[in-house]
Coordinates of all heavy atoms in Angstrom, one line a residue:
M1 N -52.9 91.2 13.2 CA -53.3 91.5 14.6 C -54.7 91.1 14.8 O -55.6 91.4 14.1 CB -53.1 93.0 14.9 CG -53.6 93.4 16.3 SD -53.4 95.2 16.6 CE -51.7 95.4 16.5
E2 N -54.9 90.4 15.9 CA -56.3 89.9 16.2 C -57.1 91.0 16.9 O -56.6 91.7 17.7 CB -56.1 88.7 17.2 CG -57.4 88.0 17.5 CD -57.2 86.8 18.4 OE1 -56.2 86.2 18.3 OE2 -58.1 86.5 19.2
L3 N -58.4 91.0 16.5 CA -59.3 92.0 17.1 C -59.6 91.6 18.6 O -59.7 90.4 18.9 CB -60.6 92.0 16.4 CG -60.5 92.7 15.0 CD1 -61.9 92.6 14.3 CD2 -60.1 94.1 15.0
M4 N -59.6 92.6 19.4 CA -59.9 92.4 20.8 C -61.4 92.4 21.0 O -62.2 93.0 20.2 CB -59.5 93.6 21.7 CG -58.0 93.7 21.9 SD -57.8 95.1 23.1 CE -56.3 95.8 22.5
N5 N -61.9 91.7 22.0 CA -63.4 91.8 22.3 C -63.6 93.2 22.9 O -62.7 93.9 23.3 CB -63.8 90.7 23.2 CG -63.3 90.8 24.6 OD1 -63.3 91.9 25.2 ND2 -63.0 89.6 25.2
I6 N -64.9 93.6 22.8 CA -65.3 95.0 23.2 C -64.9 95.3 24.6 O -64.5 96.5 24.9 CB -66.8 95.3 22.9 CG1 -67.1 96.8 23.0 CG2 -67.6 94.4 23.8 CD1 -66.4 97.6 22.0
A7 N -65.0 94.4 25.5 CA -64.6 94.7 26.9 C -63.1 95.0 27.0 O -62.8 96.0 27.8 CB -64.9 93.5 27.8
R8 N -62.3 94.3 26.3 CA -60.8 94.7 26.3 C -60.6 96.0 25.7 O -59.7 96.7 26.1 CB -60.1 93.5 25.7 CG -60.1 92.3 26.5 CD -59.2 91.2 26.0 NE -57.9 91.6 26.4 CZ -56.8 91.1 25.8 NH1 -56.9 90.1 24.9 NH2 -55.6 91.5 26.2
V9 N -61.3 96.3 24.6 CA -61.1 97.6 24.0 C -61.5 98.7 24.9 O -60.8 99.7 25.1 CB -62.0 97.7 22.7 CG1 -61.9 99.1 22.1 CG2 -61.4 96.7 21.6
R10 N -62.7 98.6 25.6 CA -63.1 99.5 26.6 C -62.0 99.7 27.7 O -61.7 100.9 28.1 CB -64.4 99.1 27.3 CG -65.6 99.3 26.5 CD -66.9 98.9 27.2 NE -68.0 98.9 26.4 CZ -68.8 97.9 26.1 NH1 -68.5 96.7 26.6 NH2 -69.8 98.0 25.3
W11 N -61.4 98.6 28.1 CA -60.4 98.7 29.2 C -59.2 99.5 28.6 O -58.6 100.3 29.3 CB -60.0 97.3 29.7 CG -58.9 97.4 30.7 CD1 -57.6 97.1 30.5 CD2 -59.1 97.8 32.1 NE1 -57.0 97.3 31.7 CE2 -57.8 97.7 32.7 CE3 -60.2 98.2 32.8 CZ2 -57.6 98.0 34.0 CZ3 -60.0 98.5 34.2 CH2 -58.7 98.4 34.7
A12 N -58.8 99.2 27.4 CA -57.6 99.8 26.8 C -57.8 101.3 26.6 O -56.9 102.1 26.5 CB -57.3 99.2 25.4
C13 N -59.1 101.7 26.5 CA -59.4 103.2 26.3 C -59.3 104.0 27.6 O -59.3 105.2 27.6 CB -60.8 103.3 25.8 SG -60.9 102.9 24.0
R14 N -59.2 103.3 28.7 CA -59.0 103.9 30.0 C -57.5 104.4 30.1 O -56.6 103.5 30.2 CB -59.3 103.0 31.2 CG -60.8 102.7 31.1 CD -61.2 101.8 32.3 NE -60.9 102.6 33.5 CZ -61.2 102.2 34.7 NH1 -61.7 101.0 34.9 NH2 -60.9 102.9 35.8
R15 N -57.3 105.7 30.0 CA -55.9 106.2 29.9 C -55.5 106.9 31.2 O -56.3 107.0 32.1 CB -55.8 107.1 28.7 CG -56.4 106.6 27.4 CD -55.8 105.3 26.9 NE -54.4 105.5 26.6 CZ -53.7 104.7 25.8 NH1 -54.3 103.7 25.3 NH2 -52.4 104.9 25.6
G16 N -54.3 107.4 31.1 CA -53.8 108.2 32.3 C -54.2 109.6 32.2 O -53.9 110.4 33.1
M17 N -54.8 110.0 31.1 CA -55.1 111.4 30.9 C -56.6 111.6 30.7 O -57.2 110.9 29.8 CB -54.4 112.0 29.7 CG -53.0 112.1 29.8 SD -52.3 112.9 28.3 CE -50.6 113.1 28.8
L18 N -57.3 112.4 31.4 CA -58.7 112.7 31.3 C -59.1 113.1 29.9 O -60.1 112.7 29.4 CB -59.1 113.7 32.3 CG -60.6 114.1 32.3 CD1 -61.5 112.9 32.6 CD2 -60.9 115.2 33.2
E19 N -58.2 113.9 29.3 CA -58.5 114.4 27.9 C -58.7 113.2 26.9 O -59.5 113.3 26.0 CB -57.4 115.3 27.4 CG -57.3 116.6 28.2 CD -56.4 116.5 29.4 OE1 -56.0 115.4 29.8 OE2 -56.0 117.5 30.0
L20 N -57.9 112.2 27.1 CA -58.0 111.1 26.2 C -59.2 110.2 26.6 O -59.8 109.7 25.7 CB -56.7 110.2 26.3 CG -55.4 111.0 25.8 CD1 -54.2 110.1 26.0 CD2 -55.6 111.4 24.3
D21 N -59.4 110.0 27.9 CA -60.6 109.3 28.3 C -61.9 109.9 27.7 O -62.8 109.2 27.2 CB -60.8 109.2 29.8 CG -59.7 108.4 30.5 OD1 -59.0 107.6 29.8 OD2 -59.6 108.5 31.7
V22 N -62.0 111.2 27.7 CA -63.1 111.9 27.2 C -63.3 111.7 25.7 O -64.4 111.7 25.2 CB -63.0 113.4 27.5 CG1 -64.1 114.2 26.8 CG2 -63.1 113.6 29.0
L23 N -62.2 111.5 25.0 CA -62.3 111.2 23.5 C -62.6 109.7 23.3 O -63.5 109.4 22.5 CB -61.0 111.5 22.8 CG -60.7 113.0 22.6 CD1 -59.3 113.2 22.2 CD2 -61.6 113.6 21.6
F24 N -61.9 108.8 23.9 CA -61.9 107.4 23.6 C -63.2 106.7 24.1 O -63.8 105.9 23.3 CB -60.7 106.7 24.1 CG -59.4 107.0 23.4 CD1 -58.2 107.0 24.1 CD2 -59.4 107.3 22.0 CE1 -57.0 107.2 23.4 CE2 -58.2 107.5 21.4 CZ -57.0 107.5 22.1
Q25 N -63.5 106.9 25.3 CA -64.7 106.2 25.8 C -66.0 106.4 25.1 O -66.6 105.4 24.7 CB -64.8 106.4 27.3 CG -63.6 105.8 28.1 CD -63.6 106.1 29.6 OE1 -64.3 106.9 30.1 NE2 -62.7 105.4 30.3
P26 N -66.4 107.6 24.8 CA -67.6 107.8 24.0 C -67.5 107.2 22.6 O -68.5 106.7 22.1 CB -67.8 109.3 24.0 CG -67.0 109.8 25.1 CD -65.9 108.9 25.3
F27 N -66.3 107.4 22.0 CA -66.1 106.8 20.7 C -66.3 105.3 20.6 O -67.1 104.8 19.8 CB -64.7 107.2 20.2 CG -64.5 106.6 18.8 CD1 -64.9 107.3 17.7 CD2 -63.8 105.4 18.6 CE1 -64.7 106.8 16.4 CE2 -63.6 104.9 17.3 CZ -64.0 105.6 16.2
V28 N -65.7 104.6 21.6 CA -65.9 103.2 21.6 C -67.3 102.8 21.9 O -67.9 101.9 21.2 CB -64.9 102.6 22.7 CG1 -65.3 101.1 23.0 CG2 -63.5 102.6 22.2
E29 N -68.0 103.5 22.8 CA -69.4 103.1 23.1 C -70.3 103.4 22.0 O -71.3 102.6 21.8 CB -69.8 103.9 24.4 CG -69.1 103.5 25.6 CD -69.3 102.0 26.0 OE1 -70.3 101.4 25.8 OE2 -68.3 101.5 26.4
N30 N -70.1 104.4 21.2 CA -71.0 104.8 20.2 C -70.7 104.5 18.7 O -71.5 104.4 17.9 CB -71.3 106.3 20.3 CG -71.9 106.6 21.6 OD1 -73.0 106.3 21.9 ND2 -71.2 107.3 22.5
F31 N -69.4 104.3 18.4 CA -69.0 104.1 17.0 C -68.1 102.9 16.7 O -68.0 102.5 15.6 CB -68.2 105.4 16.5 CG -69.1 106.6 16.7 CD1 -68.8 107.5 17.7 CD2 -70.2 106.8 15.9 CE1 -69.6 108.7 17.9 CE2 -71.0 108.0 16.1 CZ -70.7 108.9 17.0
Y32 N -67.4 102.4 17.7 CA -66.4 101.3 17.4 C -67.1 100.1 16.8 O -66.5 99.6 15.8 CB -65.7 100.9 18.8 CG -64.8 99.8 18.6 CD1 -63.5 100.0 18.1 CD2 -65.1 98.4 18.9 CE1 -62.6 99.0 17.9 CE2 -64.2 97.4 18.7 CZ -63.0 97.7 18.2 OH -62.1 96.6 18.1
Q33 N -68.2 99.7 17.3 CA -68.9 98.5 16.7 C -69.2 98.6 15.3 O -69.3 97.6 14.5 CB -70.1 98.2 17.5 CG -69.9 97.9 19.0 CD -69.5 96.5 19.3 OE1 -69.0 95.8 18.5 NE2 -69.9 96.1 20.5
E34 N -69.4 99.8 14.8 CA -69.8 100.1 13.4 C -68.6 100.1 12.4 O -68.8 100.0 11.2 CB -70.5 101.4 13.3 CG -71.8 101.6 14.1 CD -72.3 103.0 14.2 OE1 -71.7 103.9 13.5 OE2 -73.2 103.2 14.9
M35 N -67.4 100.2 13.0 CA -66.2 100.2 12.2 C -65.9 98.9 11.5 O -66.3 97.9 12.0 CB -65.0 100.6 13.0 CG -65.1 102.0 13.7 SD -63.8 102.3 14.9 CE -62.3 102.5 13.9
C36 N -65.3 99.0 10.3 CA -64.8 97.8 9.6 C -63.7 97.2 10.4 O -63.0 97.9 11.2 CB -64.4 98.1 8.2 SG -63.0 99.1 8.0
D37 N -63.4 95.9 10.1 CA -62.3 95.2 10.9 C -61.0 95.9 10.7 O -60.2 96.0 11.6 CB -62.2 93.8 10.4 CG -63.4 92.9 11.0 OD1 -64.1 93.4 11.9 OD2 -63.5 91.8 10.5
E38 N -60.7 96.4 9.5 CA -59.4 97.1 9.3 C -59.3 98.3 10.2 O -58.2 98.6 10.8 CB -59.3 97.5 7.8 CG -58.0 98.2 7.5 CD -57.9 98.7 6.0 OE1 -58.7 98.1 5.2 OE2 -57.1 99.5 5.7
D39 N -60.4 99.1 10.3 CA -60.3 100.3 11.1 C -60.3 99.9 12.6 O -59.6 100.6 13.4 CB -61.5 101.2 10.9 CG -61.4 102.0 9.6 OD1 -60.3 102.0 8.9 OD2 -62.4 102.7 9.2
K40 N -60.9 98.8 13.0 CA -60.8 98.4 14.4 C -59.4 98.0 14.7 O -58.9 98.3 15.8 CB -61.8 97.2 14.6 CG -63.2 97.5 14.7 CD -64.1 96.3 14.8 CE -65.6 96.6 14.9 NZ -66.4 95.5 15.0
T41 N -58.8 97.3 13.8 CA -57.4 96.9 14.0 C -56.5 98.1 14.1 O -55.6 98.2 15.0 CB -56.9 96.0 12.8 OG1 -57.7 94.8 12.8 CG2 -55.4 95.6 13.0
T42 N -56.7 99.1 13.3 CA -55.9 100.3 13.4 C -56.2 101.1 14.7 O -55.3 101.6 15.3 CB -56.2 101.2 12.1 OG1 -55.9 100.4 11.0 CG2 -55.3 102.4 12.1
F43 N -57.4 101.1 15.1 CA -57.8 101.8 16.4 C -57.1 101.1 17.5 O -56.5 101.7 18.4 CB -59.3 101.8 16.6 CG -59.7 102.5 17.8 CD1 -59.7 103.8 17.9 CD2 -60.2 101.7 18.9 CE1 -60.1 104.5 19.1 CE2 -60.6 102.4 20.1 CZ -60.5 103.7 20.2
I44 N -57.0 99.8 17.5 CA -56.4 99.0 18.6 C -54.9 99.3 18.6 O -54.3 99.5 19.6 CB -56.6 97.5 18.4 CG1 -58.1 97.2 18.7 CG2 -55.7 96.7 19.3 CD1 -58.6 95.8 18.3
R45 N -54.3 99.4 17.4 CA -52.9 99.8 17.2 C -52.7 101.2 17.8 O -51.7 101.5 18.5 CB -52.5 99.7 15.8 CG -51.0 99.7 15.6 CD -50.6 99.2 14.2 NE -51.1 99.9 13.1 CZ -50.4 101.0 12.6 NH1 -49.3 101.4 13.1 NH2 -51.0 101.6 11.5
L46 N -53.6 102.1 17.6 CA -53.5 103.5 18.1 C -53.5 103.4 19.6 O -52.8 104.2 20.3 CB -54.7 104.3 17.6 CG -54.8 105.7 18.1 CD1 -53.7 106.6 17.3 CD2 -56.2 106.3 17.8
L47 N -54.3 102.6 20.2 CA -54.4 102.5 21.7 C -53.1 102.0 22.3 O -52.9 102.1 23.5 CB -55.6 101.6 22.1 CG -57.0 102.1 21.8 CD1 -58.0 101.0 22.2 CD2 -57.2 103.4 22.5
E48 N -52.3 101.4 21.5 CA -51.0 100.9 22.0 C -49.9 102.0 22.0 O -48.8 101.8 22.6 CB -50.5 99.7 21.1 CG -51.3 98.5 21.1 CD -51.0 97.4 20.1 OE1 -50.2 97.7 19.2 OE2 -51.6 96.4 20.2
C49 N -50.2 103.1 21.5 CA -49.3 104.3 21.6 C -49.3 104.9 23.0 O -50.2 104.7 23.8 CB -49.7 105.4 20.6 SG -49.6 104.8 18.9
E50 N -48.2 105.6 23.3 CA -48.1 106.2 24.6 C -49.0 107.5 24.7 O -49.3 108.2 23.7 CB -46.6 106.7 24.8 CG -45.7 105.5 24.8 CD -45.9 104.6 26.0 OE1 -46.2 105.1 27.1 OE2 -45.7 103.3 25.8
D51 N -49.5 107.7 25.9 CA -50.4 108.9 26.2 C -49.8 110.2 25.7 O -50.6 111.0 25.1 CB -50.7 108.9 27.6 CG -51.7 107.9 28.0 OD1 -52.2 107.1 27.2 OD2 -52.1 107.8 29.2
P52 N -48.5 110.5 25.9 CA -48.1 111.8 25.4 C -48.1 112.0 23.9 O -48.5 113.1 23.4 CB -46.6 111.9 25.9 CG -46.6 111.0 27.1 CD -47.5 109.9 26.8
E53 N -47.9 110.9 23.2 CA -48.0 110.9 21.7 C -49.5 111.2 21.4 O -49.8 112.0 20.5 CB -47.6 109.6 21.1 CG -46.2 109.4 20.9 CD -45.9 108.0 20.3 OE1 -46.5 107.0 20.7 OE2 -45.1 108.0 19.3
L54 N -50.4 110.4 22.0 CA -51.8 110.5 21.7 C -52.3 111.9 22.0 O -53.0 112.5 21.2 CB -52.6 109.4 22.5 CG -52.3 108.0 22.1 CD1 -53.0 107.1 23.1 CD2 -52.8 107.7 20.7
F55 N -51.9 112.4 23.1 CA -52.3 113.8 23.5 C -51.9 114.8 22.4 O -52.7 115.6 22.0 CB -51.8 114.1 24.9 CG -52.2 115.5 25.4 CD1 -53.4 115.6 25.9 CD2 -51.4 116.6 25.2 CE1 -53.8 116.9 26.4 CE2 -51.7 117.8 25.6 CZ -53.0 118.0 26.2
A56 N -50.6 114.7 22.0 CA -50.1 115.6 21.0 C -50.9 115.5 19.7 O -51.2 116.5 19.1 CB -48.6 115.4 20.8
W57 N -51.2 114.3 19.3 CA -52.0 114.1 18.0 C -53.4 114.6 18.1 O -53.9 115.3 17.3 CB -51.9 112.7 17.6 CG -50.6 112.1 17.4 CD1 -49.4 112.8 17.0 CD2 -50.2 110.7 17.4 NE1 -48.4 111.9 16.9 CE2 -48.8 110.7 17.1 CE3 -50.9 109.6 17.7 CZ2 -48.1 109.4 17.1 CZ3 -50.2 108.4 17.7 CH2 -48.8 108.3 17.4
F58 N -54.1 114.3 19.2 CA -55.5 114.6 19.4 C -55.7 116.1 19.7 O -56.7 116.6 19.3 CB -56.2 113.7 20.4 CG -56.5 112.4 19.9 CD1 -55.7 111.3 20.0 CD2 -57.7 112.2 19.1 CE1 -56.0 110.0 19.5 CE2 -58.0 111.0 18.6 CZ -57.2 109.9 18.8
M59 N -54.7 116.7 20.3 CA -54.9 118.1 20.6 C -54.3 119.0 19.5 O -54.4 120.2 19.5 CB -54.1 118.5 21.9 CG -54.7 117.8 23.1 SD -56.5 118.1 23.3 CE -57.1 116.4 23.6
G60 N -53.8 118.4 18.4 CA -53.3 119.1 17.3 C -51.9 119.7 17.4 O -51.5 120.6 16.6
H61 N -51.2 119.3 18.4 CA -49.8 119.9 18.7 C -48.8 119.3 17.7 O -47.8 119.9 17.4 CB -49.4 119.6 20.1 CG -50.3 120.2 21.1 ND1 -50.5 121.6 21.2 CD2 -51.1 119.7 22.1 CE1 -51.3 121.9 22.2 NE2 -51.7 120.7 22.7
E62 N -49.1 118.0 17.3 CA -48.2 117.3 16.3 C -49.1 116.5 15.4 O -50.3 116.2 15.7 CB -47.3 116.3 17.1 CG -46.3 116.9 18.0 CD -45.5 115.9 18.7 OE1 -45.5 114.7 18.3 OE2 -44.9 116.2 19.7
V63 N -48.5 116.2 14.2 CA -49.2 115.4 13.2 C -48.7 114.0 13.4 O -47.5 113.8 13.5 CB -49.0 115.9 11.8 CG1 -49.6 115.0 10.8 CG2 -49.5 117.3 11.6
C64 N -49.6 113.0 13.5 CA -49.2 111.6 13.6 C -48.4 111.2 12.3 O -48.9 111.4 11.2 CB -50.4 110.7 13.8 SG -50.0 109.0 13.8
P65 N -47.2 110.7 12.4 CA -46.4 110.3 11.2 C -46.9 109.1 10.5 O -46.6 108.9 9.3 CB -45.0 110.1 11.8 CG -45.2 109.7 13.2 CD -46.5 110.4 13.7
D66 N -47.8 108.3 11.1 CA -48.3 107.1 10.5 C -49.7 107.4 9.9 O -50.6 107.8 10.6 CB -48.5 106.0 11.6 CG -49.0 104.7 11.1 OD1 -50.1 104.7 10.4 OD2 -48.3 103.7 11.3
A67 N -49.8 107.3 8.6 CA -51.0 107.7 7.8 C -52.2 106.9 8.3 O -53.3 107.5 8.4 CB -50.8 107.5 6.3
E68 N -52.1 105.6 8.6 CA -53.3 104.9 9.0 C -53.7 105.4 10.4 O -54.9 105.5 10.6 CB -52.9 103.4 9.1 CG -52.8 102.7 7.8 CD -52.5 101.2 7.9 OE1 -52.5 100.7 9.0 OE2 -52.2 100.6 6.9
L69 N -52.8 105.6 11.3 CA -53.2 106.0 12.6 C -53.7 107.5 12.5 O -54.7 107.8 13.2 CB -52.0 106.0 13.6 CG -51.4 104.6 13.9 CD1 -50.2 104.8 14.9 CD2 -52.5 103.7 14.5
A70 N -53.1 108.3 11.7 CA -53.6 109.7 11.5 C -55.1 109.7 11.0 O -55.9 110.5 11.5 CB -52.7 110.4 10.6
R71 N -55.4 108.8 10.2 CA -56.8 108.7 9.7 C -57.8 108.3 10.8 O -58.8 108.9 10.9 CB -56.9 107.6 8.6 CG -58.2 107.5 7.9 CD -58.1 106.5 6.7 NE -57.6 105.2 7.1 CZ -58.4 104.3 7.7 NH1 -59.6 104.6 8.1 NH2 -57.9 103.1 8.0
I72 N -57.3 107.5 11.7 CA -58.2 107.1 12.8 C -58.3 108.3 13.8 O -59.3 108.5 14.4 CB -57.7 105.8 13.5 CG1 -57.8 104.7 12.5 CG2 -58.5 105.5 14.8 CD1 -59.1 104.3 12.0
V73 N -57.2 109.0 14.0 CA -57.2 110.2 14.9 C -58.3 111.2 14.4 O -59.1 111.7 15.1 CB -55.8 110.9 14.9 CG1 -55.9 112.3 15.6 CG2 -54.8 110.0 15.7
V74 N -58.3 111.4 13.1 CA -59.3 112.3 12.5 C -60.7 111.8 12.7 O -61.6 112.5 13.0 CB -59.0 112.5 11.0 CG1 -60.1 113.2 10.3 CG2 -57.7 113.3 10.8
K75 N -60.8 110.5 12.5 CA -62.1 109.8 12.7 C -62.6 110.0 14.1 O -63.8 110.4 14.3 CB -62.1 108.4 12.3 CG -63.4 107.6 12.3 CD -63.2 106.2 11.8 CE -63.3 106.3 10.3 NZ -63.7 105.0 9.7
V76 N -61.8 109.8 15.1 CA -62.2 109.9 16.5 C -62.5 111.4 16.8 O -63.5 111.7 17.5 CB -61.1 109.3 17.4 CG1 -61.4 109.6 18.9 CG2 -60.9 107.8 17.2
R77 N -61.6 112.3 16.4 CA -61.8 113.7 16.7 C -63.1 114.2 16.0 O -63.7 115.1 16.5 CB -60.6 114.5 16.2 CG -59.4 114.3 17.1 CD -58.2 115.1 16.6 NE -58.5 116.5 16.6 CZ -57.7 117.4 16.0 NH1 -56.6 117.0 15.4 NH2 -58.0 118.7 16.0
G78 N -63.5 113.7 14.9 CA -64.6 114.2 14.1 C -66.0 113.7 14.6 O -67.0 114.2 14.1
R79 N -66.0 112.8 15.6 CA -67.3 112.3 16.1 C -67.8 113.2 17.1 O -67.1 113.5 18.1 CB -67.1 110.8 16.6 CG -66.6 109.8 15.6 CD -67.7 109.6 14.6 NE -67.2 108.5 13.7 CZ -67.9 108.0 12.8 NH1 -69.1 108.4 12.5 NH2 -67.4 107.1 12.0
P80 N -69.1 113.6 17.0 CA -69.7 114.4 18.0 C -69.9 113.6 19.3 O -70.2 112.4 19.2 CB -71.0 114.8 17.4 CG -71.3 113.8 16.4 CD -70.0 113.3 15.9
A81 N -69.8 114.2 20.4 CA -70.2 113.5 21.7 C -71.7 113.3 21.7 O -72.5 114.1 21.2 CB -69.8 114.4 22.8
P82 N -72.1 112.1 22.2 CA -73.5 111.8 22.3 C -74.3 112.7 23.2 O -73.7 113.3 24.1 CB -73.6 110.4 22.7 CG -72.2 110.1 23.3 CD -71.3 111.1 22.8

């Protein structure tokens, strides 16, 4: 999977749920550029998931069944807001 440029990643972080916007947008602005290419690719794959799935994973209602995606969920949730 080809890496997206940062503008496209920012656009992909704009979700239909405010709760997800609040998580993704600061993460991309403050931490995405520092990630290795493998983690960036996995983050982009995470952004391709549906909002209800993402909401359940990020709010702790369900565990993400994909280990790579679950690792990125933990990484995004663990970052403090700036």
Side-chain angles (χ1 to χ4, degrees):
M1 177 181 292
E2 185 178 327
L3 290 177
M4 286 188 219
N5 69 39
I6 190 66
R8 293 190 72 197
V9 173
R10 284 183 186 119
W11 180 257
C13 286
R14 296 182 62 176
R15 311 304 293 200
M17 293 184 176
L18 177 62
E19 296 88 347
L20 296 175
D21 289 346
V22 168
L23 286 169
F24 289 148
Q25 290 175 350
F27 179 82
V28 167
E29 292 303 320
N30 296 293
F31 303 106
Y32 178 80
Q33 301 273 29
E34 301 168 6
M35 295 170 75
C36 67
D37 286 349
E38 180 181 341
D39 284 354
K40 286 179 181 177
T41 299
T42 304
F43 182 74
I44 291 165
R45 196 162 60 88
L46 181 73
L47 294 176
E48 294 171 353
C49 297
E50 297 294 324
D51 284 356
E53 282 181 312
L54 293 170
F55 182 81
W57 299 337
F58 280 96
M59 298 304 130
H61 301 295
E62 295 178 15
V63 175
C64 178
D66 182 304
E68 288 180 5
L69 295 180
R71 185 175 55 77
I72 300 298
V73 168
V74 169
K75 185 174 278 203
V76 173
R77 286 178 61 191
R79 298 292 183 176

